Every structure is written in structure tokens, then in C-alpha cells.
Amino acid sequence: MIDITTFTAKDIYGQDTLLLGNNARKRASVDAVIRSWYELYPDNAIIIFDHNGERYERYEGDALLVDFSSETSVIPDMTEPFIMNESIGGTCGNIAYAIRQAVYQEIRSRDANDKFFDDLGKLSTDRMISYMLVTAKNVLSNMALSCGRNDSNDILNVITAVNTFAIFCRQHKFIETLMMNTINGKTDTLPNKYRINERESKGEPLTREFALAKYILEKELRFQKNGDNDAPVPFADLLLTNGENTNTQRCIKMQADASTADFRSFLAMAEDNAPRLRTLLTLKIGEYLKAPSGRPIFVATSGNTAADRGFAPLLIAAVGAAAENTGTKAEIVIPELERWGVLNCLDKFRQNFACLSFIFGYGNFARLALESRTDEDKLIETLYSSSTQRIWHASEEERLTKAFDSYITEADVIYRPEDLDEELRICERDGHIRYLSLHETEMKPKIRSRVRVPHKAGESDLWITQGIKKKEKLTLESLFSEEYTEEGDAL
């Protein structure tokens, strides 16, 4: 006689739980966790990465949606938690390091040359984020100054009233331009010390160019000289060239770009959609964690795959920092790791944020293996080591039955994955197992719909048709005419 208990959120609470087996069975388990969460843990937040938004649309209670392509979305402020964190928020260098750790995709160094460029790519990314933070802080300072004062309390008040991440995103193109100017040998792109002093003596607000110049002169003293003017050079020790021999610096930049490609895609999406995003409500993550009020957060994909993969790890890290700030906990549910680009971040999240716990799995093992760039056996081992317990569902997959034999050696095993039906689950921790049951119900109909952002008349969702302007109708003769081909519009 074996003891079989009902599967609920209790079975995953506080544990990093890996879901293995049949996709439909895994989906039912995730739904059961969401359904029972606030009855059991009303004061704890749960954040569900719901790539197609179906769980949000079928959730029967009040819920928040994060979806950059829907009118009903809220926009998380993802820099405020780092800024307000006691251990991180002391310097912009600390904040930049924390953000970079979340968004930088590590490479597997084949040799010392790879490691050299990867290390310098990380330093360049840290510097880029630091400069974005400095110029964003200047915006907040000017906002406080416009209210008649500019002390620390006023800046903190501004932070609570605005989305600091939106301001942070707006700095990216400016800093990106400085990076390329530095590589091309342009060293006079920022004001010199004389001009900064003159502006401050007049009591005028600093623009971001002046604010960044002042920061570099104060914090990067070894590299402040530029002729006789004490003019700052951004990225001087990393990207500065004479404008002729730029190979090394361009390789550093390329490495930084490649390892932060998804993050940069997210920044670009945020910049391109800034007017619309400003109309959406800001979600202060710390305030939500302190009072979830029975509302889960559902995170749906925006339609931009790269941007989603840049957004997800940063959001999780921001939730971790906010949970530390507020002394709260949060459950992160990621049923399909391959959709969000966070596989290689799980161990870092576990080490850095004890206040977070995860329930995660995969929908497409082949896609996840391709992302991890490893063989299947090694991938199972990686997933296993990233979890403290496993929930096994019905499966006859050879890789899973093989893993079950490798990790579970208990003599009292009665059911194996291939023996399970749609109701039974196996919960395993440290090689010890127990059996859980879940009576699966039919999928509920939608009770709400995401309100998609309307397109302007004539716009198309397809890339191939975007930006096409109406022209005079072409004829077969015009396609072959000399006049037409000379304009460069022919095939």
C-alpha cells in the first residue's frame, strides 16, 4: 500500500522544481499550482511566463499582464529594484554589474583568445550600462530640480513617480553612438572640464553630455586627459583608437554586441515603442511583492523573440532584487525554458536570490538542446543540477526513462514514468520518491482576451510588407525599361 496525496502548490513551494515528461501532463500540473496558489499562499507573489498568453486569458481571478504588444499590459520598472537595493545600489558600477550578469550570454571560451575578448566584452557592457545609468540619473535630477529642489529625498520621490527603466532605455542610442565614435578615434565628443565648470557656475541644469563628462572626469581619472583640455573620453581604455588600426577594439565591441544581442533587441523595442509604452501603467515590482492581493503576474511574449529573451532574465533578476528589498518571496514559473533564454541563468538566479524559487520545464527538448549547445544527456544533467526536486509525469521517452534509472535507485519504486497515467505523478527529491495524484479537468474557456495594440490603417503584421509605399502600377514594359532600372529599383 502506497500513500498517494493530491498535488497542489504545497508540493512545489520553496523548492526549485523541474517538470519532466508528457507536455499535456506538465501543463495540467502548472495549472494546478496556479489554481491553488493564493488559497495556500495569499501573501506570496507568483509570476508565470506564459508565452502565448493562454493561461492569462483563462485565469478566473484578478491578474496582471506584462505584454509589450497589448493595451492592457503593465510595464515593470526593472531598474528601480537595483537602485534601491542596499547591497547593489551603492554605486552605478554595482548596478551595472548586476544587470549585466542577468542579460549577458556567456560564451564557451575555446582558447585564451576567446576568453580575452569575452572578458573585455563584459567590461565594455558594464561601462555601457554604467553610462546609461549616469545619464538616466541626470534626467531624474533635472526632474527634481524642476520642482525647486534637488536633494536626495526629491530624487527618491521622483523615482517613485516615474518608470526609471523607460528613462534608462532612452539613453542607449546616445551611448551606442559614443562607443562607435571612440572606436573611430573621435575624442572630442563630450564637453571639457572648462565648459562643465562654466555651466555649473551659471546654475544651469546639466544635459546628459555634461553629466556623463563630469562622471568620467571624477571616476575614470586615469583616462580623462585629451590634449590639454581635461576632456573625458568614454570607453577610453577599452575602445579608444587613433581611427586607423581599430581591429582589436572592433572585436571587443562585436563580442559585447553578440553576448548582449537579446538585451539590445529589448532596448531597441522599448525605444521604438516609447510613445505607446508611456501610455501604459508602471508596475513597481517591490510594491507588488509586498501586496500581491491574490493577483498573479502573467508574462506573455511580445512577438519579438529576441526582445523577449532579453527581457525575461532582466525581469527575474529585478524581481529577485525587489524581493530582497522588501523581505518577501516570489515564485517564478517558466514551463517552457526554450521560449525565454533563461536556461543558462538559472544557477546564477539560485545563487544570487535565495528569495526566489522556480518551477520550470520545457516544451521542445530539441530546441532547448540547440540553445544550450550541448548533447541531450548533458542537458538533462544541467536541468537536474538546477533543481532541488523533480516532478515526473507519464512518459516513454528513452532519455527520461534512462535518466530515471540513473538518478533514482530506491528499492521501493512501484511506478516508473512509463507506468504513470494522466493522474499520477512522481515527486523525487534527493533520490527519494513519493506519489501524487491530480484529477485533470478539461481546459476552461477564455474569460478574458488580451487587447492587442491596433495597427494604423494600411499597416501589416508581416515584415515583408512593412514600409511598402503605394506607387504607380507597373507594367511588364516598365520593368524592363532603361529608365526604371537606372533608378536602382529593378531586380
Side-chain angles (χ1 to χ4, degrees):
M1 185 77 180
I2 60 171
D3 184 27
I4 300 179
T5 57
T6 302
F7 178 76
T8 68
K10 283 184 179 179
D11 295 295
I12 61 95
Y13 181 75
Q15 299 291 328
D16 295 316
T17 304
L18 168 64
L19 304 179
L20 294 164
N22 178 280
N23 280 346
R25 307 287 84 81
K26 289 188 290 186
R27 180 186 179 88
S29 293
V30 171
D31 290 344
V33 169
I34 298 170
R35 196 165 51 244
S36 61
W37 183 261
Y38 282 110
E39 179 184 346
L40 297 170
Y41 307 108
D43 298 325
N44 288 74
I46 185 169
I47 299 166
I48 304 106
F49 284 81
D50 177 26
H51 87 273
N52 57 12
E54 283 189 0
R55 287 190 171 93
Y56 166 74
E57 292 176 325
R58 291 182 167 86
Y59 184 71
E60 293 181 332
D62 190 15
L64 297 174
L65 173 67
V66 176
D67 173 7
F68 292 86
S69 60
S70 290
E71 287 185 341
T72 47
S73 176
V74 295
I75 305 301
D77 186 344
M78 290 179 289
T79 47
E80 185 203 37
F82 299 110
I83 293 169
M84 305 302 289
N85 187 276
E86 286 188 3
S87 59
I88 298 172
T91 67
C92 73
N94 288 347
I95 300 168
Y97 178 80
I99 292 175
R100 191 262 295 163
Q101 269 209 315
V103 302
Y104 194 92
Q105 294 293 323
E106 302 280 353
I107 66 164
R108 286 188 173 86
S109 300
R110 296 184 300 274
D111 52 34
N113 192 56
D114 283 349
K115 189 175 188 314
F116 170 81
F117 284 110
D118 189 44
D119 288 344
L120 292 180
K122 289 176 182 176
L123 290 175
S124 295
T125 303
D126 286 348
R127 196 74 60 84
M128 178 190 80
I129 296 172
S130 291
Y131 291 169
M132 290 172 66
L133 289 166
V134 168
T135 50
K137 178 184 176 182
N138 187 61
V139 175
L140 299 175
S141 297
N142 286 339
M143 291 175 71
L145 188 61
S146 69
C147 298
R149 298 173 61 193
N150 191 19
D151 61 26
S152 58
N153 288 330
D154 287 292
I155 292 179
L156 291 177
N157 289 335
V158 170
I159 288 176
T160 61
V162 300
N163 191 322
T164 64
F165 185 71
I167 297 170
F168 171 82
C169 289
R170 292 207 298 268
Q171 315 309 314
H172 182 242
K173 287 183 180 178
F174 169 61
I175 303 303
E176 185 72 20
T177 300
L178 290 180
M179 297 177 86
M180 294 310 302
N181 284 342
T182 305
I183 289 176
N184 292 327
K186 297 179 181 179
T187 59
D188 57 350
T189 53
L190 292 176
N192 60 31
K193 193 171 185 178
Y194 171 78
R195 291 179 60 204
I196 297 171
N197 293 338
E198 182 181 45
R199 192 174 187 92
E200 287 190 313
S201 67
K202 294 179 180 179
E204 298 177 355
L206 296 181
T207 64
R208 62 185 176 188
E209 290 83 1
F210 279 87
L212 182 57
K214 182 178 178 182
Y215 171 82
I216 294 173
L217 288 171
E218 291 176 351
K219 303 296 184 181
E220 300 172 20
L221 299 178
R222 289 178 298 159
F223 312 107
Q224 71 180 37
K225 290 290 184 182
N226 180 22
D228 297 324
N229 296 321
D230 276 355
V233 180
F235 303 96
D237 53 326
L238 293 166
L239 303 179
L240 181 62
T241 68
N242 59 11
E244 297 175 0
N245 184 15
T246 65
N247 289 342
T248 299
Q249 286 70 26
R250 289 187 184 277
C251 286
I252 295 170
K253 178 73 164 57
M254 288 170 62
Q255 176 60 57
D257 289 354
S259 294
T260 57
D262 293 337
F263 176 56
R264 289 167 182 269
S265 293
F266 176 57
L267 291 176
M269 184 187 74
E271 291 174 86
D272 293 342
N273 293 280
R276 182 179 64 79
L277 296 183
R278 281 198 291 271
T279 67
L280 302 177
L281 294 175
T282 291
L283 174 70
K284 292 294 186 178
I285 299 173
E287 292 180 8
Y288 165 74
L289 295 181
K290 286 189 290 185
S293 303
R295 298 169 302 163
I297 294 177
F298 291 87
V299 182
T301 49
S302 66
N304 183 326
T305 302
D308 293 332
R309 293 164 65 89
F311 163 66
L314 181 59
L315 175 62
I316 295 172
V319 171
E324 282 188 352
N325 298 345
T326 55
T328 56
K329 294 182 179 180
E331 184 77 27
I332 309 293
V333 183
I334 319 174
E336 294 158 308
L337 284 173
E338 70 275 12
R339 299 278 184 178
W340 299 99
V342 296
L343 171 64
N344 297 322
C345 304
L346 287 175
D347 281 340
K348 285 191 289 190
F349 292 144
R350 289 183 62 197
Q351 293 165 12
N352 293 340
F353 304 112
C355 45
L356 300 183
S357 53
F358 297 84
I359 176 171
F360 61 96
Y362 55 84
N364 187 316
F365 189 84
R367 183 185 294 173
L368 190 64
L370 183 64
E371 176 186 322
S372 66
R373 300 176 183 176
T374 187
D375 60 65
E376 293 182 356
D377 292 338
K378 183 68 175 176
L379 177 55
I380 289 288
E381 184 180 323
T382 299
L383 293 168
Y384 224 84
S385 65
S386 298
S387 57
T388 56
Q389 73 171 12
R390 276 61 56 182
I391 305 290
W392 298 80
H393 302 76
S395 175
E396 295 184 358
E397 287 186 63
E398 183 179 353
R399 71 172 72 93
L400 292 185
T401 56
K402 183 179 176 182
F404 189 85
D405 291 335
S406 299
Y407 291 106
I408 300 175
T409 57
E410 290 294 299
D412 60 349
V413 171
I414 296 176
Y415 298 109
R416 296 167 47 79
E418 61 266 32
D419 302 323
L420 300 177
D421 58 18
E422 65 181 25
E423 187 172 336
L424 274 181
R425 281 109 172 99
I426 299 171
C427 180
E428 175 264 320
R429 192 186 308 170
D430 298 327
H432 298 282
I433 64 174
R434 56 194 177 93
Y435 292 91
L436 307 169
S437 68
L438 174 64
H439 178 66
E440 296 183 16
T441 58
E442 291 185 6
M443 186 177 290
K444 296 180 179 179
K446 291 183 179 181
I447 64 169
R448 58 164 69 85
S449 295
R450 289 183 289 165
V451 183
R452 313 304 290 179
V453 176
H455 291 283
K456 296 177 182 177
E459 282 189 348
S460 171
D461 288 330
L462 299 177
W463 166 81
I464 197 69
T465 58
Q466 289 174 5
I468 301 298
K469 297 180 180 178
K470 290 184 178 180
K471 296 182 179 180
E472 292 184 11
K473 189 174 180 179
L474 298 177
T475 63
L476 183 62
E477 290 77 13
S478 70
L479 287 172
F480 288 97
S481 71
E482 205 172 318
E483 178 183 353
Y484 181 72
T485 55
E486 283 179 356
E487 292 177 357
D489 291 327
L491 297 174

